Amino acid sequence: MRTWKGKKYWLVGASDGLGAALARKMSAAGAHVVVSARSEEKLKSVVASLPNEGSYQTVDVSDDASVVKAAEAIGRIDGIVYLAGVYWPFSAQEWNAEEANAMADINFTGLVRVMGRVVPQFVTRDAGHIVVTGSLSGFRGLPGSIGYTASKAGTMSLAECMYADLRGTAVDVQVSNPGFIKTQLTDKNDFNMPFIMTPEDAADHMFRHMNSNRFKQSFPTLFSWVFRGSQFLPDWLYFRIFS
């Protein structure tokens, strides 16, 4: 069981949904959470809902200067959870360049920007906790998911790279891959979403994982078997099934 009392965690992408629910969960456990996103009004509302003392710092993860400014303002932290993400569903036949670029820039490159300001301080101190939010969709390419699936595959791969490098140190790296969560992002979907979770249920799963010593978690478990198992299918069969 991880010790939370007195620890300072930066939650990036925590103005609503899973991020806000996880912030409340961590605050109740005793951590000082610093919630970040672009909307100051939403962040103020999240801080007001925390069971214990917390704070906020606005940040735009698609902007280098904004990330640098936020990291400097927050200062020393014990852990970070990256939850920032945007999503628009469309296929290659309906390619939207602006939306595809935004998904790549916020979901993946934003993670790289933030880690560039956090990982070096953790390595220097030989202490820290890094949590990356991936997605079940990131295990293999999916139809109608230009931008999102690729960006999540990138986040999951980056988490694996950091874990490979840091597993012998006191810097803990974890990745959590959720399925469908009822948020303003999934409200855009016009298809059936099996095993869809509330943000609170997803936060419970994620927080339990953060209290463990395991690197990777994919949930809901039964639903995750579909995506994890798909990695073992030959291309001709996989694309016949999933397309």
Side-chain angles (χ1 to χ4, degrees):
M1 189 75 172
R2 199 175 297 273
T3 300
W4 299 100
K5 190 172 183 180
K7 297 296 178 66
K8 183 178 181 181
Y9 272 71
W10 184 15
L11 276 62
V12 182
S15 59
D16 51 27
L18 172 60
L22 183 62
R24 289 188 283 270
K25 199 90 180 161
M26 295 175 65
S27 177
H32 177 106
V33 293
V34 183
V35 292
S36 280
R38 288 177 291 183
S39 172
E40 185 172 12
E41 289 306 310
K42 286 185 177 181
L43 292 174
K44 287 180 179 179
S45 178
V46 172
V47 171
S49 74
L50 297 177
N52 288 304
E53 182 184 0
S55 57
Y56 74 89
Q57 174 64 48
T58 57
V59 69
D60 179 355
V61 298
S62 67
D63 180 77
D64 290 328
S66 178
V67 171
V68 171
K69 180 180 178 181
E72 290 177 347
I74 293 169
R76 187 186 186 281
I77 57 175
D78 298 291
I80 184 162
V81 186
Y82 192 87
L83 304 121
V86 293
Y87 166 68
W88 295 274
F90 57 86
S91 66
Q93 293 92 329
E94 302 160 328
W95 194 294
N96 184 309
E98 182 179 349
E99 292 174 351
N101 292 346
M103 285 186 276
D105 202 28
I106 293 171
N107 301 357
F108 174 66
T109 310
L111 170 65
V112 176
R113 289 188 183 95
V114 171
M115 290 300 113
R117 296 295 156 183
V118 172
V119 174
Q121 66 162 287
F122 286 173
V123 170
T124 298
R125 298 201 323 256
D126 193 28
H129 186 195
I130 300 166
V131 183
V132 176
T133 309
S135 169
L136 293 185
S137 70
F139 281 105
R140 199 160 180 183
L142 292 168
S145 188
I146 293 295
Y148 187 78
T149 290
S151 66
K152 284 301 183 178
T155 66
M156 293 156 67
S157 178
L158 180 59
E160 290 175 346
C161 292
M162 290 191 291
Y163 180 74
D165 287 336
L166 298 171
R167 60 191 299 269
T169 73
V171 180
D172 295 332
V173 180
Q174 294 181 303
V175 61
S176 192
N177 305 317
F180 295 114
I181 303 172
K182 180 64 177 174
T183 66
Q184 60 183 354
L185 299 185
T186 52
D187 285 345
K188 299 174 183 179
N189 291 334
D190 60 359
F191 53 83
N192 181 47
M193 292 176 280
F195 300 96
I196 190 166
M197 300 169 284
T198 66
E200 290 71 27
D201 285 342
D204 284 342
H205 279 279
M206 198 160 173
F207 190 61
R208 285 198 299 270
H209 178 56
M210 291 168 64
N211 274 291
S212 75
N213 58 6
R214 292 180 294 120
F215 163 59
K216 185 182 294 182
Q217 174 204 42
S218 299
F219 65 94
T221 302
L222 184 60
F223 192 38
S224 74
W225 290 346
V226 175
F227 296 88
R228 289 184 288 170
S230 73
Q231 294 180 301
F232 301 99
L233 296 178
D235 288 344
W236 68 267
L237 179 58
Y238 171 78
F239 289 108
R240 178 174 294 180
I241 295 171
F242 280 81
S243 294

